[in-house]
Each structure stands twice: as structure tokens, then as C-alpha cells.
Amino acid sequence: MTVKEYGQFCGLARAMEVVGERWTLLIVRDLLLGPKRYTDLRNGLPNIPTNILATRLKQLEAHGVAVRRALPHPDRGVVYELTDHGHELQSAVTALGRWGARTMTEPRPGEITTIESRALSFHTAFRPEAAGEDTLGYEVRMADATFRLSVDGPSLTVGHGPHPDPDLIIETRAGRPVLDLMRGTLTPAEALASRSLHIEGPAPLLARFAELFRL
């Protein structure tokens, strides 16, 4: 497969040759949450042309960033997943998301928020220096998605679905109250008083959430 080379003996140039094409890092972002079928990726990136998605996946495979895997019986079909080499992009994707979030206010006309972009926002907002030696599990339930957040000191793992043993469950009909908590425009006390969200578990852990996740 032809690679657009920059002609520079530089690590950044090499990286850009692999993931610098349009849409590539958003595909990586979505795969960082776990294996996905082609249709899952297509639904999560509704504006990507199908031929571009197919081409980018082939490029990621060719560079050893992603692989295809047949699902075992009784499931059928094929999923795409990141290799260990691909998962090493997590810190780079998170750093870019944090850098880009600094200029974000309100969505521009026509912009959407996907489940995968919301999952990245937890990585973006996480403050490892504030975590200390905490070991905490949060389950965040929104209208159309549930996320499990596992904090283990300075490490964070984000996944889809319920947390097996959450210390606190945060439930809201929309994602805005959680985003406002992370932005600091809504305090935990205000959120509970306004009933914009509901919690199951100790209230101080909501304040701890706002300390650990801050945009």
C-alpha cells in the first residue's frame, strides 16, 4: 500500500505517515474502547464516506495498528480491534483531545456528540495528579449510554456498559450535567439540589468525581 512520505527522518513524520490522514485518528479513538464491527464504526462516524473508512482500516492493518478478527460461534461476522502497537496511541489521542477541548464552547451547527467522543472526554478530563492512590469505580448512566470508569491511582480505564462494582452511580437524562460538572460550571451540590442528576452511593464521591475529572 502506497504511503505518503514526508521525506524526513523524524518520529513525528513517521507517525503522521501512519495516522495523519483525515479520519484515521477518529477511527483509532473509537477502537480504543474495544473491538467494533465495520457497521459500528460507520454508525459512530456518520459523515465518513464508506470507501474512505474501508481504505483507512486497510492502512491501519498494513501498519500493524489494527487487525481483523472473526467472532467465535454463536456470534458471526468480523470485528476490527487495535493491536498492542495501536493501543499505545491512547496517550497521544488523549493529549490531542485535551488540547482541542481548550477551544470548545458550544457545538457548531450540524455537529453531533457520539458515544465514543463522550468516552474520550473522560480520558481528556481525568487528572492523574489528583487521583493519588485512590481506587474508585464510577458508573455514569446517560439517556443513551452507560460508561464504566475505573480509577486506579493515576490510571483510568473507560468502557461501555455497567460497572461490576461501582462505588458511585451517576444517572442523568442527558450528558450536559456531567459535562458541566467536569467544566466546573456546576458544583456537585448544585447538581444534586437541582435534581439534574441522581446518584446511588456516598455524596462525597460526587465531589471527588468533580475533582478527578476537570476540563
Side-chain angles (χ1 to χ4, degrees):
M1 184 172 293
T2 303
V3 176
K4 294 181 179 179
E5 298 179 352
Y6 288 93
Q8 295 190 16
F9 189 66
C10 166
L12 180 59
R14 287 286 195 274
M16 291 297 292
E17 289 171 3
V18 177
V19 297
E21 294 276 10
R22 190 169 185 239
W23 294 106
T24 300
L25 277 180
L26 293 185
I27 295 171
V28 170
R29 176 201 68 185
D30 291 7
L31 291 177
L32 281 168
L33 289 178
K36 286 185 170 54
R37 298 174 187 264
Y38 179 91
T39 52
D40 297 330
L41 291 167
R42 182 73 181 87
N43 292 336
L45 299 167
N47 291 336
I48 190 173
T50 54
N51 64 316
I52 296 297
L53 176 56
T55 297
R56 296 292 179 265
L57 287 170
K58 288 179 181 177
Q59 290 170 334
L60 290 174
E61 286 185 84
H63 289 290
V65 176
V67 294
R68 281 179 294 174
R69 175 172 59 84
L71 292 172
H73 184 77
D75 294 322
R76 294 182 179 179
V78 172
V79 292
Y80 292 86
E81 61 185 352
L82 295 179
T83 61
D84 290 343
H85 183 50
H87 274 286
E88 290 175 359
L89 286 165
Q90 175 74 75
S91 58
V93 171
T94 299
L96 281 171
R98 184 176 295 116
W99 183 78
R102 293 175 183 171
T103 61
M104 294 174 62
T105 52
E106 297 296 324
R108 292 180 294 205
E111 286 189 330
I112 63 172
T113 301
T114 67
I115 291 175
E116 288 74 16
S117 65
R118 273 180 280 169
L120 176 64
S121 71
F122 292 115
H123 278 292
T124 300
F126 182 59
R127 300 170 61 218
E129 71 280 3
E133 297 182 358
D134 282 2
T135 301
L136 293 169
Y138 287 97
E139 180 174 313
V140 182
R141 302 174 183 172
M142 299 180 188
D144 60 343
T146 297
F147 300 97
R148 57 179 180 271
L149 315 179
S150 299
V151 177
D152 186 6
S155 299
L156 171 68
T157 302
V158 179
H160 284 307
H163 195 287
D165 186 23
D167 295 290
L168 185 73
I169 295 174
I170 303 172
E171 186 168 6
T172 176
R173 294 180 181 178
R176 189 57 187 251
V178 175
L179 179 61
D180 288 342
L181 273 178
M182 294 195 295
R183 284 180 171 172
T185 57
L186 180 71
T187 68
E190 290 169 342
L192 293 174
S194 67
R195 297 187 178 181
S196 59
L197 55 78
H198 169 75
I199 64 170
E200 295 179 25
L205 287 184
L206 184 63
R208 188 65 178 130
F209 176 89
E211 293 172 352
L212 292 172
F213 298 91
R214 178 58 60 90
L215 290 169

